[in-house]
Amino acid sequence: MADEVACSVIGQCGVGGWGGPQPGDPDGTILLSASVVYGGIRLRWTLPAINPEAVAHVEIHRGVTTDFQQSMRLDTGSGGSYFDQVEVVTPTTFFYWVRVISIHGTIGALVGPASATAVPVAIQTIEHLSGLIDQGLLAQSLREPIERIALNYTELTSKIAERVAGDAALSAALALVQQGLQESVAFIHQEIVSRTNGQEAIITQLNTLAAVNGDSAAAIFEERSARVAADEAQAQQMLSLNAALSNVGAIVNVDRNASVSRDNALASQIATVQSTLGTEVASVRNTMETRIDQTNGRINAIWNVQVDVNGNIGGFGLMGTGRTIEAGFDVDKFWIGRAGKVRPFIIQDGVVYMDTVRIRDLTIGTQKLAPNSVTSTGVSVGGAYDLIYNTAVNLINASTDLGTSLPGGHVVVLQASIELTHDKFSSGESSTSLALSVIQLVRVANNAVLKTQYHSGTGARENIIINAADTAPTSGYNLYELRITNQSDYFFNTIHIHDSMLVVQGAKR
């Protein structure tokens, strides 16, 4: 966001410590604006309408509230703009004031505040969001280890024995196999248990289908239950398919649950498949869960798929609350595309690879540029500027981020085009007066002028091209401006800008 404020109290904005302005001091008709740009905030101000040539410099103050008393003196500026490089972790609004100091030492009145909200640069945003994601329920659920549930031969036959312990004949037959006195046994066993007590009632059905010999075992266990009580109800089903041979095991396990109370509702299904061989374990788990908990004010739905191979855990998931929907992948490599074709999007080891990309709005923290690979373009449409002598206007900005300089450094190539019309004469000026403008390409950070080109106005519509090369750009973010200054013989000069463009292209030398 940005706003614009003016000081127009004539006779007060140039008052110094001795109680009054000096002859020739500037007046206080100043317009101040603040706007957010990558890496900071751009301030712009107009020079006073009266005696602008008497401005020595502009004093700049910054605060985080609208109270000037809580602000700090930031810097001094000249011309009509200032770049405030700020680093923030979350969007932060800053407030700015300026005041003119004249060549006579007169201190003008404050102008402001103008405000803009700075946003974090890419790396700060990524680090901040990563921390928030890691603290979230979805990310934590994707990192949960999958417990070992597959059984070896000894463990599986023991569990079968527990399930049929109430059946003397099946227990005896299984014991004969385990003792080597019988080669194998196969059976189906079912047990139903029910109980009621006032409002509470529960019924459970246990089904066991098993086959066992001296070396291997296979079993299907199923448990189904329904329970009701005062203000509660629950239905549950657990199904487990097991196979084991010596120290090798495999299992498919599905656990379904639906339960309600007056203030809570839960529905879940967790399916796990797992294979084990000695100490080696490979697992996949698919979790679906919905929960409404009015006691704690919680409502969410979650679905995730995890893999866990000897403790190397990852997966993907989707979670929704009453406010947001979040999707995440906790993986080392992620890709999109059809088989047999170039994958247009790949993430591997924290690096994103993209084939052909069209982006509407792009912010870049660090670039490593191939020669002639990146172009930044600023485009501005028309406007009329009434410029007094030696006053400049910034027509347009464009930028590039070179990141950490590669060996040999970088060069930034700039090209600007301006379509304009000069008013050759001004009212009251001599017909011999010359309409002259100075057009400059400037690196904003240190106000370094890269190219100056003079242009004499003819009164006709003209197209002007200006080129420059910045052979000493800084590492990281570089902002450039296209400026035009009135250097006419007469005081006022009207310049009509019909169209302007600034192209910034960074490349390794």
Side-chain angles (χ1 to χ4, degrees):
M1 62 173 287
D3 62 18
E4 199 170 68
V5 294
C7 172
S8 58
V9 185
I10 307 300
Q12 293 185 12
C13 292
V15 175
W18 48 87
Q22 296 291 304
D25 271 347
D27 75 330
T29 308
I30 299 173
L31 190 66
L32 171 66
S33 67
S35 58
V36 61
V37 296
Y38 183 81
I41 293 174
R42 165 66 58 193
L43 298 179
R44 288 187 171 88
W45 57 85
T46 59
L47 291 178
I50 298 175
N51 299 329
E53 69 281 0
V55 174
H57 60 268
V58 174
E59 191 175 271
I60 304 166
H61 293 254
R62 182 184 70 194
V64 294
T65 72
T66 57
D67 185 357
F68 175 75
Q69 299 302 321
Q70 298 181 26
S71 69
M72 56 171 284
R73 186 176 183 274
L74 180 64
D75 205 346
T76 59
S78 59
S81 68
Y82 179 83
F83 176 66
D84 183 17
Q85 183 174 347
V86 293
E87 295 183 0
V88 294
V89 176
T90 58
T92 304
T93 300
F94 292 97
F95 298 87
Y96 295 88
W97 294 260
V98 298
R99 56 186 170 196
V100 169
I101 309 300
S102 79
I103 58 176
H104 307 114
T106 307
I107 302 174
L110 286 172
V111 177
S115 66
T117 300
V119 296
V121 295
I123 184 60
Q124 293 170 327
T125 303
I126 290 171
E127 290 174 350
H128 177 65
L129 291 178
S130 294
L132 295 179
I133 289 170
D134 287 341
Q135 297 170 20
L137 178 61
L138 179 60
Q140 292 181 24
S141 70
L142 292 175
R143 300 302 300 169
E144 289 181 0
I146 301 175
E147 65 277 10
R148 180 171 180 153
I149 58 174
L151 306 175
N152 60 30
Y153 175 79
T154 302
E155 294 165 338
L156 182 54
T157 54
S158 296
K159 184 171 182 178
I160 294 171
E162 291 175 5
R163 294 291 288 257
V164 299
D167 189 314
L170 290 179
S171 295
L174 183 59
L176 290 174
V177 173
Q178 291 174 315
Q179 295 166 13
L181 301 176
Q182 182 176 318
E183 288 190 1
S184 62
V185 64
F187 57 84
I188 296 176
H189 178 263
Q190 185 179 83
E191 180 182 358
I192 298 176
V193 179
S194 63
R195 184 180 72 254
T196 60
N197 181 15
Q199 287 188 310
E200 184 176 356
I202 183 170
I203 184 169
T204 303
Q205 180 180 359
L206 303 175
N207 298 321
T208 304
L209 185 152
V212 181
N213 63 25
D215 299 311
S216 58
I220 299 175
F221 303 120
E222 183 182 23
E223 180 177 344
R224 295 185 290 178
S225 67
R227 183 182 68 84
V228 294
D231 300 330
E232 292 182 14
Q234 182 182 40
Q236 190 170 20
Q237 180 189 46
M238 291 177 285
L239 179 65
S240 179
L241 283 66
N242 299 264
L245 174 65
S246 185
N247 67 341
V248 183
I251 187 172
V252 177
N253 200 78
V254 181
D255 187 349
R256 299 184 178 99
N257 179 52
S259 61
V260 296
S261 66
R262 289 205 177 274
D263 299 319
N264 299 277
L266 170 68
S268 66
Q269 175 176 290
I270 302 173
T272 306
V273 298
Q274 188 176 90
S275 301
T276 61
L277 197 163
T279 59
E280 304 277 72
V281 183
S283 310
V284 177
R285 181 166 63 193
N286 185 343
T287 302
M288 293 184 290
E289 180 182 288
T290 58
R291 182 189 300 269
I292 301 174
D293 183 351
Q294 287 190 339
T295 304
N296 298 307
R298 176 182 174 187
I299 177 170
N300 61 46
I302 189 168
W303 168 63
N304 64 42
V305 177
Q306 292 174 266
V307 294
D308 184 344
V309 181
N310 288 335
N312 184 22
I313 307 168
F316 62 89
L318 182 67
M319 188 184 78
T321 67
R323 299 179 302 276
T324 61
I325 303 295
E326 177 182 357
F329 288 78
D330 192 341
V331 297
D332 299 306
K333 181 188 294 185
F334 172 81
W335 54 265
I336 297 174
R338 300 301 298 270
K341 298 182 179 180
V342 173
R343 299 296 196 274
F345 186 90
I346 301 171
I347 301 176
Q348 181 168 339
D349 299 328
V351 180
V352 179
Y353 301 89
M354 292 183 285
D355 187 25
T356 301
V357 183
R358 294 183 179 181
I359 301 175
R360 185 186 65 84
D361 188 0
L362 176 65
T363 300
I364 299 177
T366 301
Q367 297 181 52
K368 297 179 181 178
L369 304 173
N372 302 317
S373 62
V374 176
T375 299
S376 171
T377 303
V379 179
S380 176
V381 293
Y385 299 91
D386 292 313
L387 299 182
I388 61 176
Y389 178 75
N390 206 30
T391 299
V393 62
N394 301 323
L395 295 178
I396 197 167
N397 298 94
S399 63
T400 184
D401 193 329
L402 301 178
T404 302
S405 294
L406 299 174
H410 291 80
V411 62
V412 178
V413 179
L414 302 92
Q415 183 179 72
S417 62
I418 313 171
E419 191 172 359
L420 58 79
T421 302
H422 270 286
D423 280 355
K424 188 175 181 183
F425 306 114
S426 179
S427 176
E429 300 291 339
S430 167
S431 60
T432 60
S433 297
L434 179 64
L436 177 65
S437 292
V438 180
I439 303 170
Q440 294 177 317
L441 290 172
V442 181
R443 187 196 316 126
V444 174
N446 55 357
N447 207 34
V449 177
L450 305 175
K451 183 67 175 288
T452 299
Q453 187 166 309
Y454 296 90
H455 179 73
S456 298
T458 64
R461 186 162 175 160
E462 302 172 78
N463 189 61
I464 303 166
I465 303 294
I466 178 170
N467 298 287
D470 187 0
T471 58
T474 62
S475 298
Y477 179 72
N478 287 264
L479 179 67
Y480 300 91
E481 287 185 348
L482 173 63
R483 298 177 185 171
I484 188 165
T485 305
N486 173 26
Q487 289 288 337
S488 301
D489 291 343
Y490 50 85
F491 199 67
F492 286 100
N493 184 14
T494 300
I495 303 173
H496 299 274
I497 304 297
H498 306 288
D499 192 14
S500 61
M501 176 179 290
L502 173 59
V503 178
V504 175
Q505 181 170 294
K508 182 184 175 184
R509 291 187 189 178

